[in-house]
Amino acid sequence: MRIEGLSLNLATVRRQWNLGEAVEACARFGLAGVAPWRDQVIAAGPAEAARIFKANGMRVTGYCRGGLFPAADAAGRQAAIDDNKRMIDEAAEIAAEGIVVIGGGLPKGSRDLAGARTMFAEGIAAVLPHARACKVPLALEPLHPVYAADRGCVSTLAEMLDLCDALGDGLGVAVDVYHVWWDPMLAAQIARAGHRIIAHHICDWLVPTKDILNDRGMMGDGVIDLPAIRRMIEAAGYRGVQEVEIFSNDWWAKPGEEVLRTVVERFKTVCGPL
Amino acid sequence: MRIEGLSLNLATVRRQWNLGEAVEACARFGLAGVAPWRDQVIAAGPAEAARIFKANGMRVTGYCRGGLFPAADAAGRQAAIDDNKRMIDEAAEIAAEGIVVIGGGLPKGSRDLAGARTMFAEGIAAVLPHARACKVPLALEPLHPVYAADRGCVSTLAEMLDLCDALGDGLGVAVDVYHVWWDPMLAAQIARAGHRIIAHHICDWLVPTKDILNDRGMMGDGVIDLPAIRRMIEAAGYRGVQEVEIFSNDWWAKPGEEVLRTVVERFKTVCGPL
């Protein structure tokens, strides 16, 4: 039976399976959808990727990941804008329900975080007309402040929602519990987001965290109050899937079937509302 | 000649020197003050520690670290309150200009971050009368969100200033650039803090950061715009020292003299305002 509320971000099993293998496994386990990364779609070819999703009856709940607009010079910024436009075309081709967009890090040698955030906003403004024309929503994802220097210069839902307010239709936010669980303004900003919540990513924060990037936890193994955040998100009106996204050296070392079996079990037992 | 604006947090050289050796070295290099950790003061004995500071003409710009109030039960919370009161007595004995106070992590098994923050606020309220009586200001230090689970449940200056607003005299904030540099509200919250800025800690954020706790950078080696933050802090009215605090496996492995020489040189060349 189909588990309507559950999608898998395919980074979670990227070391175990290629795109076709991963999608087939997700279908076997009854997931409603998957969210592929760009390298996975490019490796298969967008047309073949689209065929794989369709043949397995899988929604494409997100496409990872765009944004990353800050660059050291105008040519670099334009290259990022052009690349995001190509990604929007790919998203349309694979019928992705949205693109996950992150801030990007500081340009090499820069200490200007405010400047990087401005470049991010300008990049979004530059690609938004194309995203609207292609009917591909952009889900702006704040990243945990630990990534502000090298990966995601925009750290909070408040900042991303300010950008949504300023630029209007075609934008929303991705609420990844790993990135925002610590935020004292979380409840208020989720309520503010309302129908602009496009994606809800789940995993867990492990104590201790052994690796800043690749030691995310399976739901239930860490300290995030997943049911509480889910209640906030549903109170804001969100009725979409929860997308499991786990970057983890530990889980990447396990058989893909074990990962999926655990994802399904934990989704049912610890992800609430309980 | 004395470098009036510079103090060293003694965690920076904790693996090289004991308290007496560290203080004497700081005096030789002309620093205005030091900020010892509690284990260092206890190891020497508070009376002997006070003698060492005085004999070397060193200010004690801070005493690390109190707070850590969240606990799994009432007995644990009371023990933390009692321990903070003892620490206030020690601070008075060594003539520390303030105590650095951090949130503490989630109690074991807890996922209730809001509850931990409440316990922190209650703990501060419980020890504040004693701190006032001893004339020892409490410098509330938000920690980087990467430590929210296991070390500092209060992550932002905004939250700490809310607590200062609520509880009044005897409280202020410690602005450690490592913990707050990413905060999109940084400029606004530093301006809000005004005369309540009790401490200004400096180091740098390295890219990549190899260890979440012990890979902090020497000023100038990372991406934090130190002069910009110093300008904000001075515009808010702060005229106190900059206190260098570097937890670093790399710097702990170098001779203490080399660390101090580098601290002094970087303080003069990269810490602004430039």
Side-chain angles (χ1 to χ4, degrees):
Chain A
M1 205 184 93
R2 186 75 77 172
I3 308 163
E4 295 299 342
L6 180 60
S7 175
L8 186 74
N9 185 296
L10 296 184
T12 309
V13 291
R14 70 181 321 145
R15 295 202 192 154
Q16 290 94 335
W17 286 322
N18 68 23
L19 184 73
E21 292 163 346
V23 171
E24 285 163 22
C26 288
R28 278 202 306 282
F29 276 87
L31 274 61
V34 294
W37 280 57
R38 205 172 174 197
D39 61 302
Q40 298 172 312
V41 167
I42 299 292
E48 171 63 7
R51 190 199 64 73
I52 290 169
F53 300 133
K54 198 167 177 187
N56 287 279
M58 298 300 277
R59 293 170 55 188
V60 181
T61 61
Y63 187 34
C64 297
R65 59 185 185 177
L68 302 127
F69 293 111
D73 57 25
R77 291 190 287 278
Q78 186 59 50
I81 289 167
D82 294 343
D83 194 50
N84 272 269
K85 288 182 181 171
R86 282 192 295 276
M87 188 182 177
I88 290 166
D89 294 333
E90 293 158 21
E93 187 168 0
I94 63 172
E97 296 170 20
I99 289 179
V100 174
V101 174
I102 67 172
L106 293 167
K108 195 164 173 57
S110 168
R111 294 188 173 92
D112 183 5
L113 187 58
R117 288 167 175 163
T118 298
M119 288 188 240
F120 175 74
E122 290 171 351
I124 293 293
V127 304
L128 184 56
H130 188 61
R132 286 177 181 147
C134 295
K135 300 189 192 307
V136 176
L138 305 181
L140 309 185
E141 181 175 45
L143 295 198
H144 194 286
V146 76
Y147 304 122
D150 56 352
R151 191 164 270 104
C153 61
V154 184
S155 305
T156 64
L157 278 173
E159 297 170 272
M160 288 303 195
L161 288 167
D162 287 348
L163 199 53
C164 293
D165 287 348
L167 296 177
D169 285 347
L171 296 179
V173 291
V175 180
D176 184 318
V177 298
Y178 196 81
H179 296 306
V180 302
W181 74 278
W182 60 273
D183 187 347
M185 299 192 297
L186 184 61
Q189 294 301 321
I190 286 176
R192 173 188 172 197
H195 71 280
R196 295 177 295 188
I197 300 171
I198 297 180
H200 177 197
H201 299 175
I202 57 175
C203 65
D204 216 331
W205 184 281
L206 298 180
V207 179
T209 292
K210 294 172 292 186
D211 183 281
I212 291 177
L213 187 57
N214 294 325
D215 192 28
R216 302 187 189 181
M218 181 64 65
M219 300 80 71
D221 290 345
V223 299
I224 299 177
D225 188 343
L226 293 164
I229 297 178
R230 182 168 172 186
R231 281 191 294 270
M232 293 175 201
I233 287 177
E234 296 197 348
Y238 182 77
R239 292 293 177 270
V241 297
Q242 294 189 68
E243 179 185 311
V244 174
E245 180 182 42
I246 304 173
F247 298 175
S248 163
N249 293 321
D250 289 345
W251 287 100
W252 282 327
K254 297 180 197 289
E257 301 270 337
E258 179 181 344
V259 176
L260 265 175
R261 193 164 53 243
T262 310
V263 161
V264 168
E265 186 254 326
R266 297 294 176 86
F267 176 74
K268 291 178 176 172
T269 55
V270 303
C271 295
L274 302 175
Chain B
M1 205 183 93
R2 188 75 79 173
I3 307 163
E4 294 300 342
L6 180 59
S7 175
L8 186 73
N9 186 296
L10 295 184
T12 309
V13 290
R14 72 182 322 145
R15 294 201 193 156
Q16 290 95 335
W17 287 322
N18 69 24
L19 185 73
E21 293 163 344
V23 172
E24 285 162 23
C26 287
R28 278 201 307 281
F29 276 87
L31 273 62
V34 295
W37 280 58
R38 204 172 177 196
D39 62 304
Q40 298 172 313
V41 167
I42 300 292
E48 170 64 6
R51 191 200 63 73
I52 290 170
F53 300 132
K54 198 168 177 186
N56 287 279
M58 298 299 279
R59 293 170 55 188
V60 180
T61 61
Y63 188 35
C64 297
R65 58 188 188 178
L68 303 125
F69 294 110
D73 57 28
R77 290 190 288 278
Q78 187 59 50
I81 288 167
D82 294 342
D83 194 50
N84 273 268
K85 288 181 180 172
R86 281 192 296 276
M87 187 181 178
I88 290 165
D89 294 334
E90 293 157 22
E93 186 168 0
I94 62 171
E97 297 170 19
I99 289 180
V100 174
V101 174
I102 67 172
L106 293 166
K108 196 164 171 61
S110 168
R111 294 187 174 92
D112 183 4
L113 187 58
R117 289 167 175 162
T118 298
M119 288 187 238
F120 175 75
E122 290 170 351
I124 293 293
V127 303
L128 185 56
H130 188 61
R132 286 178 183 147
C134 296
K135 300 191 193 308
V136 176
L138 304 181
L140 310 185
E141 181 175 46
L143 295 197
H144 193 287
V146 76
Y147 304 121
D150 56 354
R151 191 165 268 104
C153 61
V154 183
S155 306
T156 63
L157 279 172
E159 297 169 273
M160 288 301 195
L161 288 167
D162 288 348
L163 199 53
C164 292
D165 286 348
L167 297 177
D169 285 348
L171 296 179
V173 292
V175 180
D176 184 319
V177 298
Y178 196 80
H179 295 305
V180 301
W181 74 279
W182 60 272
D183 186 346
M185 299 191 297
L186 182 60
Q189 293 302 320
I190 286 176
R192 172 188 173 197
H195 70 281
R196 295 178 295 188
I197 300 172
I198 296 179
H200 176 197
H201 299 174
I202 57 174
C203 66
D204 216 332
W205 183 281
L206 298 180
V207 178
T209 292
K210 294 171 292 187
D211 184 279
I212 291 177
L213 188 58
N214 294 326
D215 192 28
R216 301 188 190 180
M218 181 63 66
M219 300 79 72
D221 289 346
V223 300
I224 299 179
D225 189 343
L226 293 163
I229 297 178
R230 182 167 171 187
R231 281 191 294 271
M232 293 176 200
I233 287 178
E234 297 198 347
Y238 182 77
R239 293 292 176 271
V241 298
Q242 294 188 66
E243 178 186 312
V244 175
E245 181 182 42
I246 304 173
F247 297 175
S248 164
N249 293 322
D250 289 344
W251 286 100
W252 282 327
K254 296 180 198 289
E257 301 270 338
E258 180 181 344
V259 176
L260 265 175
R261 194 163 52 240
T262 310
V263 162
V264 169
E265 186 255 327
R266 298 295 177 84
F267 176 73
K268 292 178 175 172
T269 55
V270 304
C271 294
L274 305 175

